[in-house]
Amino acid sequence: MYKKILLAVDLNEESSWRKALPTAVALSRGFGAALHLLTVVPRVPANVLSQYFPEGFERETVRKAEAELKALCEREIPKEIAPVARTTYGNVYDEILRVATEIDADLIVMASHRPELNDYLLGPNAARVVRHSERSVLVVRA
């Protein structure tokens, strides 16, 4: 049923992968599907970036996120799964949808984060992905 599964994770929020990652791994095993992990470094507005952050901040942040995602894969995913790890920079939900389309994912797996008052049912990125995706989306709750 699934050939490519995209798991979106926030490296700054363990809750974004603690339950979703084992779910994605089990689905990958069960269907023999390729597992792709994605983390998105959120875009900082240009005026804020130039005023408050040093030159090269974006590149360094992406490089650090790539290393952290690779470490997460090595630490938490069995070797036989051989996940494809990808780090992008931009608007989180736009990047999730773009990468899902680019890799032709059959399923997007993501966690809902701890609810805030204004987004109690789903985090804003999960809600937008569910609402705008043309692909199946599995939201794993903590």
Side-chain angles (χ1 to χ4, degrees), residues 4 12 57:
K4 292 181 184 174
N12 295 317
F57 172 79

Side-chain angles (χ1 to χ4, degrees), residues 81-97:
I81 299 293
V84 176
R86 173 183 250 171
T87 302
T88 65
Y89 178 78
N91 181 294
V92 175
Y93 63 89
D94 284 337
E95 285 297 298
I96 293 169
L97 295 173

Side-chain angles (χ1 to χ4, degrees), residues 1-54:
M1 178 176 207
Y2 300 120
K3 293 181 179 158
K4 292 181 184 174
I5 297 170
L6 176 63
L7 172 63
V9 300
D10 178 350
L11 295 171
N12 295 317
E13 252 333 301
E14 184 176 328
S15 63
S16 78
W17 60 264
R18 180 55 62 198
K19 288 200 176 197
L21 190 142
T23 300
V25 167
L27 288 167
S28 177
R29 273 190 176 136
F31 290 104
L35 179 60
H36 296 254
L37 270 76
L38 171 67
T39 192
V40 180
V41 175
R43 184 177 310 280
V44 178
N47 61 339
V48 173
L49 190 63
S50 65
Q51 288 183 337
Y52 299 104
F53 295 98

Side-chain angles (χ1 to χ4, degrees), residues 3-8 34 36-40 86 88 91-110 128-130 132-138:
K3 293 181 179 158
K4 292 181 184 174
I5 297 170
L6 176 63
L7 172 63
H36 296 254
L37 270 76
L38 171 67
T39 192
V40 180
R86 173 183 250 171
T88 65
N91 181 294
V92 175
Y93 63 89
D94 284 337
E95 285 297 298
I96 293 169
L97 295 173
R98 183 186 67 74
V99 170
T101 299
E102 185 178 297
I103 68 170
D104 196 24
D106 304 297
L107 177 66
I108 300 169
V109 178
M110 55 192 311
R128 287 181 176 137
V129 170
V130 168
H132 298 290
S133 181
E134 296 175 356
R135 299 157 197 291
S136 295
V137 180
L138 172 61

